[in-house]
C-alpha cells in the first residue's frame, strides 16, 4: 500500500528491524506493507512508526515494531499455515501475520477493541483473518490444531489448552512471568516432543482469563 507513511515505514524496517537482526525477508516485507498508523488513534499517527509501544483503547498497548517482528519471525511461517493469535488488540499483529500465512484466527476479550480491529481488517481487505470475542486462554478449539500460536499478553504460565491445540510440528510464542516483566517463551512441538526456549525479557499487558491472571 503506497501512502504518505511509506517512506517512514521503510525507515522503520531498515533501522529498527533489519539493523537489529530481523532477517526473514517475508517478515520484513510484511512490516513494510501493513499501514501501522491506521491501527493507532488519529492523535498518535505521527508516532506510529516510533521505536516504542503505543497505548490503544481500553488501557491496552500495541507492541513496539521490533517485538512484533521478533515474535513473528520466531514462528518461521512459510505461507501455508493456520495461525491462532490471542489478544487481537488493535489488530496490527494479526494484520502482519495475515500477510505471512494462509489464515489467522484471533481472539480478544474486549469488545470495543475487537470491533475496531474487525473494521480495519475489512477496510484493508485482509479477508483471511477471523476474529472472535472470548477468553483466548481457552484457545479456539473448533478450528485447531494450529501450526503456530502467538499470545500477545503476558500470563503466569503457558495455557494448557493452547499446547493441546498446537499442531505437531508447531510453534507457540508467549510472554510468561509476573505482571511487570515476562520472558518470551517459544514452545516447539515436534514428533510428539515438547521443547521450550526462553528468547528475551519483555513487558506485556496482562493475559486475563481462566488460564491467565484472574479477573
Ligand atoms: N496483538 C495486539 C496487542 C494487544 S495488547 C496488537 O497488535 O495490537 C494485548 C491484548 O490482549 C489486549 O487487547 C487484551 O484485551 C487482550 N487480552 C488479554 N487477555 C486476553 C484473553 N484471555 N483472551 C483474549 N484477549 C486477551
Amino acid at each position: 500500500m503506497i501512502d504518505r507513511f511509506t517512506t517512514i515505514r521503510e525507515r522503520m524496517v531498515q533501522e529498527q528491524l533489519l539493523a537489529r537482526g530481523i532477517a526473514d525477508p517475508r517478515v520484513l516485507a510484511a512490516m513494510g506493507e501493513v499501514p501501522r498508523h491506521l491501527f493507532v488513534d488519529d492523535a498518535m499517527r505521527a508516532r506510529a512508526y516510533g521505536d516504542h509501544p503505543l497505548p490503544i483503547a481500553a488501557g491496552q498497548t500495541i507492541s513496539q515494531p521490533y517485538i512484533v517482528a521478533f515474535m513473528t519471525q520466531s514462528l518461521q511461517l512459510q505461507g501455508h499455515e493456520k495461525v491462532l493469535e490471542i489478544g487481537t488488540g488493535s489488530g496490527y499483529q494479526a494484520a502482519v501475520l495475515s500477510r505471512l500465512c494462509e489464515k489467522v484466527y484471533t481472539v480478544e476479550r474486549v469488545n470495543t477493541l475487537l470491533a475496531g480491529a474487525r473494521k480495519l481488517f475489512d477496510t484493508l481487505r485482509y479477508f483471511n483473518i477471523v476474529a472472535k470475542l472470548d477468553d483466548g486462554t481457552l484457545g479456539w478449539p473448533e478450528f485447531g490444531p494450529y501450526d503456530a500460536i502467538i499470545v500477545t499478553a503476558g500470563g503466569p504460565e503457558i495455557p494448557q489448552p493452547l499446547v493441546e491445540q498446537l499442531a505437531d510440528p508447531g510453534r507457540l510464542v508467549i510472554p510468561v512471568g509476573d505482571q511487570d516483566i515476562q520472558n518470551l517463551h517459544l514452545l516447539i512441538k515436534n514428533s510428539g516432543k515438547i521443547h521450550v526456549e526462553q528468547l528475551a525479557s519483555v513487558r506485556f499487558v496482562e493475559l486475563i482469563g481462566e488460564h491467565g491472571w484472574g479477573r
Side-chain angles (χ1 to χ4, degrees):
M1 181 190 229
I2 303 286
D3 55 56
R4 68 191 176 92
F5 288 98
T6 299
T7 311
I8 189 169
R9 190 160 56 240
E10 199 39 52
R11 199 178 316 139
M12 170 196 85
V13 170
Q14 294 294 328
E15 293 171 4
Q16 298 176 39
L17 310 184
L18 199 56
R20 286 190 203 142
I22 303 295
D24 184 333
R26 296 179 70 245
V27 173
L28 295 167
M31 302 252 333
E33 175 189 333
V34 176
R36 180 171 163 97
H37 59 282
L38 299 183
F39 293 81
V40 301
D41 257 24
D42 286 1
M44 272 181 292
R45 280 220 166 137
R47 299 173 57 207
Y49 296 95
D51 191 13
H52 43 68
L54 281 170
I56 54 175
Q60 305 300 320
T61 53
I62 174 173
S63 301
Q64 179 189 7
Y66 177 75
I67 294 292
V68 173
F70 184 79
M71 289 175 81
T72 305
Q73 178 170 267
S74 77
L75 299 176
Q76 296 185 357
L77 300 172
Q78 312 286 317
H80 61 270
E81 297 87 352
K82 211 155 69 166
V83 179
L84 175 66
E85 180 197 26
I86 309 307
T88 316
S90 67
Y92 178 68
Q93 173 73 70
V96 171
L97 291 167
S98 77
R99 307 299 83 204
L100 297 168
C101 69
E102 189 169 304
K103 189 141 187 180
V104 179
Y105 297 82
T106 181
V107 185
E108 172 56 54
R109 63 181 290 276
V110 177
N111 201 11
T112 49
L113 290 172
L114 183 76
R118 273 190 177 142
K119 216 176 191 173
L120 272 168
F121 300 152
D122 235 48
T123 309
L124 293 166
R125 308 177 63 81
Y126 293 163
F127 296 136
N128 62 336
I129 308 175
V130 287
K132 78 158 172 173
L133 188 71
D134 210 340
D135 172 6
T137 67
L138 303 171
W140 194 340
E142 51 199 295
F143 297 111
Y146 302 93
D147 305 296
I149 301 180
I150 177 169
V151 183
T152 62
E157 58 185 25
I158 304 178
Q160 193 53 34
L162 299 185
V163 179
E164 282 158 20
Q165 290 167 40
L166 185 66
D168 183 350
R171 299 167 81 88
L172 184 168
V173 68
I174 176 174
V176 177
D178 61 30
Q179 277 109 328
D180 289 326
I181 189 108
Q182 305 91 32
N183 223 300
L184 199 59
H185 284 50
L186 174 67
L187 181 151
I188 299 171
K189 200 189 265 192
N190 203 353
S191 309
K193 292 202 193 81
I194 283 172
H195 164 84
V196 181
E197 282 171 37
Q198 300 197 12
L199 303 180
S201 179
V202 288
R203 270 192 90 145
F204 276 79
V205 297
E206 290 174 26
L207 178 68
I208 300 170
E210 196 169 321
H211 298 268
W213 301 106
R215 268 152 244 268

